[in-house]
Amino acid sequence: MTLRLRVLVLAAAVVALAAVALASVLHASARADRRDRAQPGGPGIASGRVTLTAHGTMVFRSMAWGPHRDELTAVPAADPSGPRTASGVKCLRFHAASGTGICLQAVHGPVSDTYRAVILDARLHVTRRYDVRGIPSRARVSPSGHWAAWTAFVGGDSYAGTGFSTRAAIVNVLTGELIPSLESFRVVEDGRTRHAADMNFWGVTFAADDRTFYATLATGGLTHLVRGDLRTRTVTVLRANVECPSLSPDGTRIAFKKRVPGLPADAPWRLYVLNLRTLHETPLAEPRSVDDQAVWKDARTLVYALPGDYGADLYAVPSDGTGAPRRLSTAAVSPAFLP
């Protein structure tokens, strides 16, 4: 091949690469433009005032395409598919209780995104900010509003695999004190301290006493339900094969996702409820794999997200194993019910 031909081939390759890059940019721009436009048939949504003290309200991250995508949005809990009121505050994950909110956000940079957790007051004003290492996954506020927790992936990208690592952090909303990782807590199993280099925690849920919490501990290729004590900084192993626990309003039951043998590796979970007194497990009437930390709408109903046309839809199912799942709302995730 002559030098001239080589130069021509190189020039053609550069032009081709430039064309591909331009096409990718234009495609991304067009897709972003579509995301900013409300789609026909989507939920009605308008800007308005959203607070965390509006009783009988469901507040959630709206995923409907349009100018309010990813904003915290409110609807009457009795009419979850009704018109939405958008707050202007954007979150990737969210939860709230007693006038306190936790909002996990992306901070878009010129090269890559970073993430942060912000504590919100009842009017959605930011009161505290914390850097989050990793990609946000779960968020919870204690019933009193005095504690908040979040989980982030710091390696891998899925609970379904084995190559992930997580960090679960807890913050005292009143004092601002941050516990950056539950890995600093002492782990107790069968009355003895357990040591392992591969421990990961995620999916914190709080009891009403402002001291007790539950979470998932993964170690040795297995997952466990643990009960934590914020005063003694210990966690006690209670039961195997429990992920993303969610404590009932009366503190007697835990909803969780459980790996069921024989299911596909990328969809291995089913929803169950554990009675903490009898340790009896009840499978719920949701046949699909749920990769979410369910929320108690009330003492009888659990709400969770499943993939949908706009990212996720919210479904509800009775907590006693009866009935059937029903879709509550489209294009929605991370709900909090304000009683």
Side-chain angles (χ1 to χ4, degrees), residues 34-273:
R34 290 196 303 272
R35 287 164 61 98
D36 290 337
R37 295 182 182 179
Q39 301 297 302
I45 183 167
S47 297
R49 184 169 179 263
V50 175
T51 71
L52 301 182
T53 52
H55 299 297
T57 300
M58 180 176 79
V59 182
F60 59 98
R61 172 192 172 193
S62 177
M63 303 186 74
W65 284 8
H68 301 292
R69 183 177 171 90
D70 297 329
E71 292 183 16
L72 292 184
T73 306
V75 294
D79 185 20
S81 61
R84 302 178 176 185
T85 301
S87 68
V89 178
K90 291 190 175 185
C91 301
L92 298 175
R93 289 290 184 270
F94 168 76
H95 191 248
S98 297
T100 296
I102 175 70
C103 172
L104 305 183
Q105 299 177 325
V107 182
H108 301 298
V111 178
S112 62
D113 292 347
T114 57
Y115 301 93
R116 66 187 177 195
V118 298
I119 305 299
L120 304 174
D121 67 13
R123 294 180 293 174
L124 302 187
H125 296 157
V126 175
T127 61
R128 301 185 187 277
R129 290 182 175 87
Y130 301 90
D131 292 334
V132 174
R133 180 190 168 201
I135 301 173
S137 172
R138 310 292 183 212
R140 275 296 187 272
V141 175
S142 68
S144 68
H146 296 166
W147 297 88
W150 60 86
T151 304
F153 287 116
V154 295
D157 61 359
S158 171
Y159 292 123
T162 58
F164 69 85
S165 180
T166 59
R167 294 289 183 275
I170 296 179
V171 64
N172 185 323
V173 173
L174 300 180
T175 67
E177 179 190 4
L178 174 67
I179 302 170
S181 174
L182 290 182
E183 293 174 26
S184 63
F185 280 38
R186 183 169 68 94
V187 177
V188 178
E189 184 175 15
D190 297 328
R192 294 177 294 181
T193 299
R194 177 169 180 171
H195 300 281
D198 66 343
M199 289 186 180
N200 284 288
F201 294 88
W202 68 83
V204 174
T205 183
F206 293 97
D209 62 4
D210 267 357
R211 175 175 179 172
T212 305
F213 66 90
Y214 296 86
T216 302
L217 163 65
T219 182
L222 300 174
T223 59
H224 307 269
L225 174 68
V226 296
R227 181 180 62 242
D229 188 319
L230 289 166
R231 294 183 189 172
T232 62
R233 300 291 175 96
T234 60
V235 295
T236 301
V237 176
L238 300 180
R239 191 175 184 85
N241 199 10
V242 172
E243 299 184 52
C244 296
S246 182
L247 189 64
S248 63
D250 63 4
T252 64
R253 294 161 292 160
I254 281 181
F256 65 99
K257 63 179 192 179
K258 174 181 178 179
R259 290 177 183 265
V260 176
L263 295 181
D266 60 346
W269 298 291
R270 291 292 186 269
L271 284 179
Y272 282 73
V273 167

Side-chain angles (χ1 to χ4, degrees), residues 11 245 322 334:
T322 64
S334 290

